[in-house]
């Protein structure tokens, strides 16, 4: 699970995880903490078992 402010750095972290082989899991979550928008994205590591 990656979380953080909704900014360029967060997008870069998600892109880096995808480049490493992680997969997005579900939709992102978004909330507002009173000062800024905070996002979260679940990631999974692909299993070696055939689906």
């Amino acid at each position: 699970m990656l979380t953080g402010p909704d900014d360029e750095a967060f997008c870069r972290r998600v892109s880096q995880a995808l480049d490493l082989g992680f997969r997005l899991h579900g939709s992102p979550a978004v909330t507002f903490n009173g000062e800024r928008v905070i996002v979260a994205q679940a990631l999974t590591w692909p299993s070696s078992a055939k689906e």
Side-chain angles (χ1 to χ4, degrees), residues 4-49:
D6 185 17
D7 59 13
E8 183 180 333
F10 180 81
C11 294
R12 194 174 323 114
R13 289 172 52 212
V14 172
S15 293
Q16 289 170 341
L18 294 174
D19 288 345
L20 289 171
F22 286 89
R23 294 183 185 164
L24 299 177
H25 182 77
S27 299
V30 180
T31 191
F32 182 69
N33 71 359
E35 295 179 19
R36 57 192 346 185
V37 174
I38 305 296
V39 291
Q41 177 63 59
L43 302 163
T44 59
W45 185 253
S47 70
S48 57

